[in-house]
Amino acid sequence: MNEQVAKYRQLYDATRDAILTDPLSKSQISAFQTQLNELKPVALSGLNQKLAQAYLDLIGENLTYASHQLLFVLNLNHDHSTIPLPISVDQLRSWQKTHAAEYSLFTRNPFLYNGLSVDETAASALL
């Protein structure tokens, strides 16, 4: 994986983990936005560009709807288009209490395909 893509993934993970703890405060949103702005001006191509854009979209959604305590995963479609989908923290906590596999999948993998959580390797193949 490209080092820059890894940085985008780390920032996505940080926003996700913070949202799982509590709704983001204005200062947290500002700090994450600053980090995001520092990462944006890098030229990537090919698959690295697609993965970076996927993480940028997810980070942006996480920050936009942070006060609602929603985190986003990216649905990958057959036609290679993508749609960010929200998951409420309440739903994740419900899955955690019932020991549902969805909890570990959605708190680890930011991508969906055909309603199933997929990792970055599978997402790369689908993008």
Side-chain angles (χ1 to χ4, degrees), residues 1 4-22 24 28 32 35-36 39 51 54-60 62-63 70-73 92 104-111 118-120:
M1 175 190 339
Q4 190 66 23
V5 173
K7 289 179 183 180
Y8 289 120
R9 181 182 185 159
Q10 289 170 349
L11 184 56
Y12 169 78
D13 289 347
T15 62
R16 178 199 60 212
D17 294 347
I19 291 168
L20 286 171
T21 303
D22 285 306
L24 297 183
Q28 285 176 303
F32 284 133
Q35 292 174 35
L36 180 60
L39 291 176
L51 279 173
Y55 283 119
L56 279 172
D57 292 345
L58 289 170
I59 294 164
N62 280 353
L63 296 179
L70 295 172
L71 64 93
F72 284 78
V73 295
L92 287 167
S104 62
L105 291 172
F106 285 111
T107 56
R108 185 177 64 232
N109 297 326
F111 303 107
V118 296
D119 65 10
E120 191 173 86

Side-chain angles (χ1 to χ4, degrees), residues 44-99:
L44 297 171
S45 61
L47 182 57
N48 287 324
Q49 172 57 34
K50 289 179 181 181
L51 279 173
Q53 188 59 54
Y55 283 119
L56 279 172
D57 292 345
L58 289 170
I59 294 164
E61 295 291 332
N62 280 353
L63 296 179
T64 301
Y65 296 97
S67 64
H68 301 292
Q69 208 169 3
L70 295 172
L71 64 93
F72 284 78
V73 295
L74 197 65
N75 187 62
L76 307 168
N77 300 314
H78 293 286
D79 64 357
H80 303 288
S81 63
T82 59
I83 301 169
L85 299 174
I87 299 176
S88 76
V89 172
D90 290 339
Q91 178 63 62
L92 287 167
R93 288 188 183 130
S94 174
W95 284 335
Q96 184 180 29
K97 287 177 187 174
T98 62
H99 303 287

